[in-house]
Amino acid sequence: MTISLPHGSVRLRSAEWQTIIILLLIYTLAYLDRQILTLLVDPIRNDLGVSDVQMGFLQGLGFTLFYALCGPFVGWMVDRHNRRLIIFIGILIWSVSTAASGFANSYSHLLLARFGVGAGEAALLPAAYSIISDMVEKSRLGRAMGVFSLGGIAGGSLSYVVGGLLISYLARYADIDLPLIGMMHDWQLVFLAIGTLGIPMAILVFAFPDPGRRDSKLMAEDKAAAVRGHFKKHWRFYACHFSAFSLFCFLGAATTAWSATYMMREFGWTVAMVSTLLGVKSMVAGALGMVGGGMLADWLTKRGLQDAHLRMYVFIMPIFAVAGITAFTSSNMWVAFGGIVVLGVIAPFIAVAAAALQLATVPERRGIASASFLLVYNLVGFGLGPAMVALAASLIFGEDGNLGPALALAFIVVPPFIMLLMALGLRPMRQAVADANQNAI
């Protein structure tokens, strides 16, 4: 069913906010399930006898492999079936898998549970992006994506704050012997507690209206041909977009995965100090960067820059590189933390990347476009980022656990490639946006 949306009405704006806030809460839960592991690295490592490289794999490909593999199928489903039901099923899968992590008594069992978390979370973003794009007019899409993507910021922050509180509280119950379950470590209790939140949260997905789907201006026979040929015609844009933002994610994921561990090892921070300072940093800096990035992209687009979503990062990337090098080479604790704060403002780019993809893609293929992007983005970014940094620390710098030099090296090598890819994608993005605007309502 196609619904003509009166975008200027008060009623629709109320429905927009209702939808975006609920999706934001669900995204917060997803990120909390995903990122809680970052505070549990050393306890898991000690209890299961694993290395930083293995923990990097657990935080990286252990999550993203199934997230990425399930993505194209989910994208295909999103373009054809009930998007709210897809999100509901995804929540149930990732929540049960997080709870199952609490019963893991070996590295392989924990890895299997992380596969399940990744598979479940693959349902959320393609469906949410598609719903928001059908509900919000293009002039406000960057801002809307930014507000929704605050869920990732809130979830990441809560993983520090709630995780720190849970760890402190559950430490008194470490190695408790539960009836019918057996002995459980405190980190297992954390996973169990977080996983049980998902069941009631899943019901929220039915509390917002389905906006219906936008349709194309073209006649049926022309529409099918245009849809089939869109990706082939604009492959340069998708290649530059996917690769540039995936490398961007590589740096952001490595920073997220190892910042807490680095600050604890390098400067002697406690879990309580890490959870407080990094939690506040993630919330404040992340919110500023996420919403500010979306608003900046909207502002530049309204002034005629149809490639604004790529162009803005060509100029921002040098600042990002300098902040990263400073954060992980400074011997001063507060200078290092200042660098991490700057990274926290710039790194939340997903709203801008998602908005660019929706603007440059015909409505009938937004689900599969988002899922394909998330496949590459997660495999390269979250899949390789944490593990490659740990591997570099071990192989190049000769010591498992020597994370600082490896992180600094990543910020020296990767940003020039991101800038080049963004610059190469400017003209292709303008062409893809013009084509999508010509064919869509």
Side-chain angles (χ1 to χ4, degrees), residues 120-313:
E121 289 195 22
L124 177 58
L125 292 188
Y129 290 157
S130 178
I131 289 169
I132 293 171
S133 296
D134 281 334
M135 178 167 281
V136 179
E137 65 182 15
K138 294 178 180 179
S139 64
R140 290 182 283 115
L141 186 57
R143 182 182 305 177
M145 289 292 187
V147 174
F148 161 66
S149 298
L150 283 177
I153 301 300
S157 300
L158 286 174
S159 72
Y160 290 121
V161 177
V162 175
L165 292 173
L166 277 174
I167 291 169
S168 298
Y169 177 76
L170 294 174
R172 70 187 71 177
Y173 301 107
D175 300 325
I176 188 173
D177 193 0
L178 297 178
L180 304 178
I181 296 177
M183 191 72 69
M184 295 195 77
H185 300 294
D186 50 356
W187 60 266
Q188 292 175 307
L189 294 172
V190 171
F191 280 127
L192 191 59
I194 297 296
T196 56
L197 293 175
I199 307 303
M201 284 284 286
I203 307 299
L204 280 178
V205 77
F206 300 111
F208 64 82
D210 190 320
R213 298 180 187 268
R214 297 183 190 270
D215 210 343
S216 172
K217 293 178 180 178
L218 303 175
M219 299 297 291
E221 59 273 16
D222 296 326
K223 172 181 170 181
V227 167
R228 285 195 303 269
H230 185 81
F231 291 138
K232 182 177 180 180
K233 181 178 180 181
H234 299 292
W235 69 267
R236 289 180 179 83
F237 161 71
Y238 292 102
C240 290
H241 178 287
F242 284 20
S243 54
F245 283 114
S246 295
L247 288 175
F248 205 162
C249 181
F250 179 99
L251 294 174
T255 301
T256 299
W258 295 117
S259 287
T261 303
Y262 173 76
M263 297 304 283
M264 286 189 283
R265 291 178 182 175
E266 187 71 16
F267 299 110
W269 285 19
T270 63
V271 170
M273 192 174 182
V274 165
S275 64
T276 300
L277 289 177
L278 291 186
V280 172
K281 181 275 300 182
S282 296
M283 181 63 73
V284 176
L288 178 63
M290 189 71 76
V291 177
M295 293 177 68
L296 177 60
D298 284 347
W299 184 81
L300 293 172
T301 300
K302 289 177 182 177
R303 279 149 183 79
L305 293 177
Q306 297 301 312
D307 56 11
H309 301 72
L310 301 183
R311 183 177 295 273
M312 56 190 280
Y313 287 113

Side-chain angles (χ1 to χ4, degrees), residues 4-83:
S4 179
L5 298 173
H7 290 285
S9 70
V10 174
R11 181 180 179 183
L12 181 63
R13 286 179 178 266
S14 175
E16 288 177 12
W17 280 110
Q18 179 184 350
T19 300
I20 292 170
I21 293 300
I22 291 173
L23 289 174
L24 183 156
L25 292 173
I26 294 170
Y27 195 15
T28 299
L29 173 68
Y31 233 83
L32 177 60
D33 283 41
R34 180 191 307 190
Q35 292 297 123
I36 193 66
L37 183 60
T38 62
L39 279 183
L40 304 174
V41 169
D42 283 338
I44 294 173
R45 182 179 174 180
N46 294 334
D47 288 334
L48 300 185
V50 297
S51 67
D52 272 349
V53 174
Q54 288 175 294
M55 289 305 300
F57 185 83
L58 196 65
Q59 296 182 80
L61 281 176
F63 171 84
T64 59
L65 184 61
F66 270 68
Y67 186 107
L69 291 176
C70 293
F73 173 72
V74 170
W76 182 86
M77 294 284 289
V78 165
D79 286 331
R80 292 162 176 80
H81 299 289
N82 189 307
R83 294 169 289 190

